[in-house]
Amino acid sequence: MGSKWTAANVPDQTGRTAVVTGSNTGLGYDTAAVLAARGAHVVLAVRNPDKGAEAAERIRAAHPGAAVTVQQLDLSSLASVRKAAEEIRANQPRIDLLINNAGLMYVPRRELTEDGFEMHFGTNHLGHFALTGLLVDHLGEGSRIVSVASIAHRILARIRFEDPHFESGYNRVAAYGQSKLANLLFTYELQRRLAAAGRPTIAVAAHPGISNTELMRYIPVPVPDILYRIATQPAEQGALPTLRAATDPAVQDGQYYGPDGLGELRGHPKLVASSAQSHNQDIARRLWTMSEELTGVSFPI
């Protein structure tokens, strides 16, 4: 294997089932397309089933014979998460890869999910926390749970236990940062619990650097076009850290993958480090407890 890991390094996935959230566009779509091309049965878990069906058709057109199905999932609704988990369990004998990719970024004004959670925290973290808890015992030998984080977990980021939903002083950069820090705290705490329970599943994380996707539509500072093109990378490149975390046989539990370029903004995937705060076990345990209370989901591990 060369030093630069690419989609060509993804091993054969025949016989494996992958659930990818937010996979009708952007990073999730490119992640799903590569897995399907390598033989996985891919479940596109998306909020809009029509857009999901269009994405499935694009994948099948590019890769005739690809096994792709669509599952309606709105991560901003715990009722939708529960329904989706039930349907996935009923329709799939087992899951080999659960890729928690969906998310939103820098929503300009404070918005709440239907359950009353701040939109970033509710969608990016709590929705995925609940989905993972409802599916974790459906994952088999050699399975992986991959959560997609961000370099933003270092920017104005802390878990606001006193006000997680920004009832006072909404700041979209801090809100997004909290949700992405939560993704990492969740991944590392989940890995500790899976290992302690002797489960055959590992939890790992990845981040895409800065990728040119729909997520960038709310970016808070205007960026000149030329600088934007230099600093960002295409979605198919941004998907590579997730694909590596999900499929590279050398990946170990609790690892974190991101681009190898300057500032981890772009490049090929490599093992990277996350902030000291993301490894704080006291914060992770507090977040886990709070997440269980808010979602009503307890992990059977």
Side-chain angles (χ1 to χ4, degrees), residues 34 66-67 121 152 247 280:
V34 171
F121 193 59
T247 67
N280 184 308

Side-chain angles (χ1 to χ4, degrees), residues 212-269:
N212 188 356
T213 71
E214 283 182 15
L215 264 189
M216 301 301 285
R217 65 187 178 277
Y218 291 139
I219 196 159
V221 288
V223 179
D225 232 24
I226 181 72
L227 188 59
Y228 186 74
R229 284 200 297 274
I230 291 170
T232 66
Q233 59 184 357
E236 58 264 27
Q237 185 80 10
L240 291 179
T242 301
L243 284 163
R244 185 168 192 177
T247 67
D248 185 342
V251 168
Q252 295 177 21
D253 49 10
Q255 289 185 330
Y256 182 39
Y257 286 82
D260 62 2
L262 182 66
E264 297 173 22
L265 298 182
R266 55 187 295 168
H268 291 266

Side-chain angles (χ1 to χ4, degrees), residues 154-185:
R154 299 178 182 274
I155 304 169
L156 295 183
R158 68 179 181 87
I159 305 300
R160 296 161 55 102
F161 291 105
E162 76 290 355
D163 182 19
H165 307 301
F166 286 81
E167 290 173 47
S168 60
Y170 177 71
N171 178 310
R172 58 179 167 166
V173 176
Y176 181 63
Q178 172 178 252
S179 73
K180 293 287 107 179
L181 174 60
N183 290 155
L184 286 165
L185 288 160

Side-chain angles (χ1 to χ4, degrees), residues 10-292:
V10 174
D12 180 45
Q13 298 294 302
T14 302
R16 291 171 71 75
T17 296
V19 176
V20 186
T21 69
S23 42
N24 62 292
T25 187
L27 301 168
Y29 173 82
D30 285 292
T31 300
V34 171
L35 292 172
R38 293 290 183 276
H41 171 212
V42 181
V43 178
L44 307 180
V46 298
R47 192 178 49 170
N48 185 322
D50 293 336
K51 290 183 177 178
E54 290 169 13
E57 282 307 313
R58 290 204 307 278
I59 292 173
R60 292 190 198 103
H63 309 288
V68 190
T69 54
V70 177
Q71 171 63 53
Q72 202 277 331
L73 167 69
D74 181 354
L75 287 158
S76 69
S77 160
L78 288 175
S80 174
V81 171
R82 288 183 180 279
K83 185 170 185 286
E86 281 176 21
E87 291 174 355
I88 290 169
R89 293 174 71 100
N91 295 329
Q92 310 304 329
R94 70 166 195 287
I95 301 166
D96 301 285
L97 297 174
L98 174 59
I99 300 181
N100 292 324
N101 161 82
L104 36 77
M105 175 179 177
Y106 298 146
V107 177
R109 288 167 297 283
R110 180 176 179 263
E111 294 180 22
L112 300 180
T113 69
E114 73 171 40
D115 302 289
F117 309 142
E118 189 280 318
M119 191 61 77
H120 294 93
F121 193 59
T123 303
N124 298 357
H125 169 61
L126 293 172
H128 279 128
F129 178 92
L131 181 69
T132 304
L134 294 166
L135 292 177
V136 69
D137 63 353
H138 207 56
L139 277 83
E141 195 68 39
S143 57
R144 297 183 189 183
I145 298 164
V146 182
S147 294
V148 179
S150 168
I151 52 178
H153 84 276
R154 299 178 182 274
I155 304 169
L156 295 183
R158 68 179 181 87
I159 305 300
R160 296 161 55 102
F161 291 105
E162 76 290 355
D163 182 19
H165 307 301
F166 286 81
E167 290 173 47
S168 60
Y170 177 71
N171 178 310
R172 58 179 167 166
V173 176
Y176 181 63
Q178 172 178 252
S179 73
K180 293 287 107 179
L181 174 60
N183 290 155
L184 286 165
L185 288 160
F186 166 60
T187 295
Y188 301 146
E189 181 64 17
L190 176 59
Q191 177 49 44
R192 286 187 285 270
R193 291 172 185 241
L194 289 167
R199 288 301 184 96
T201 303
I202 64 170
V204 292
H207 83 82
I210 300 184
S211 299
N212 188 356
T213 71
E214 283 182 15
L215 264 189
M216 301 301 285
R217 65 187 178 277
Y218 291 139
I219 196 159
V221 288
V223 179
D225 232 24
I226 181 72
L227 188 59
Y228 186 74
R229 284 200 297 274
I230 291 170
T232 66
Q233 59 184 357
E236 58 264 27
Q237 185 80 10
L240 291 179
T242 301
L243 284 163
R244 185 168 192 177
T247 67
D248 185 342
V251 168
Q252 295 177 21
D253 49 10
Q255 289 185 330
Y256 182 39
Y257 286 82
D260 62 2
L262 182 66
E264 297 173 22
L265 298 182
R266 55 187 295 168
H268 291 266
K270 69 166 187 176
L271 192 61
V272 295
S274 62
S275 68
Q277 188 179 198
S278 71
H279 290 283
N280 184 308
Q281 294 189 30
D282 291 333
I283 296 174
R285 283 191 290 266
R286 283 186 71 192
L287 174 65
W288 189 282
T289 300
M290 181 171 74
S291 302
E292 284 186 329

